[in-house]
Amino acid sequence: HIVGGDIKIGDIGTNSFPFQVNTDGDMVATSATIKGNSTIAGWNVTDNNIYKIESDGGASMASSGNWAFMAGGTDYNNENSSAPFRVGFLGDVHATSGDIGSWTLNKNGIYKNNDTNGIGLWSTTDHENIAIHAGKNTDNIASAPFKVY
């Protein structure tokens, strides 16, 4: 039915129209399936992925492959993505930086600081070859009372 310029498909007797397109182009579909390769608001939709990639990074969600969610990468290669944030289907998380429960994570380790004290676990030699420290924040790691080299 066309009502006031709007397209409405449904039951006119109950005034129930589960599919509508108004004259502004707004669409309502209460139970829609989008098939094939499509674009919605600049996001690409395929049978297995929804993604948007810009020159400085993007995001994707997939129903197959290695990663369920990815953000920050410039590709949506689900098998070998280089995205700095990825979540796998079994809950495994890859993140190159961030905060977890007030702990800071970066490419060199994980640590927690307050004004003067801190604790950290380091995977590189960037902190005077100290692998574990406690008692001083990361600005004063060399004077920490507990250190493992």
Side-chain angles (χ1 to χ4, degrees), residues 106-109 122-131 138 141-142:
N106 66 30
K107 67 179 183 174
N108 298 322
W122 308 100
S123 63
T124 68
T125 58
D126 288 349
H127 298 294
E128 301 181 31
N129 294 323
I130 297 171
T138 54
I141 193 170

Side-chain angles (χ1 to χ4, degrees), residues 39-96:
T39 302
I40 299 174
W43 287 76
N44 298 298
V45 179
T46 69
D47 289 338
N48 297 316
N49 295 293
I50 297 174
Y51 66 94
K52 185 173 186 177
I53 305 297
E54 304 288 341
S55 61
D56 59 347
S60 71
M61 179 174 56
S63 63
S64 64
N66 292 334
W67 305 103
F69 301 98
M70 297 181 290
T74 55
D75 65 43
Y76 74 99
N77 179 347
N78 198 297
E79 302 303 321
N80 300 304
S81 177
S82 61
F85 179 77
R86 304 184 293 271
V87 178
F89 288 97
L90 299 177
D92 49 317
V93 176
H94 170 87
T96 58

Side-chain angles (χ1 to χ4, degrees), residues 15 19-21 32 59 77 79 86 97 114 120 136:
N15 201 29
F19 181 82
Q20 303 176 40
V21 179
N77 179 347
E79 302 303 321
R86 304 184 293 271
S97 64
N114 64 22
K136 294 289 182 178

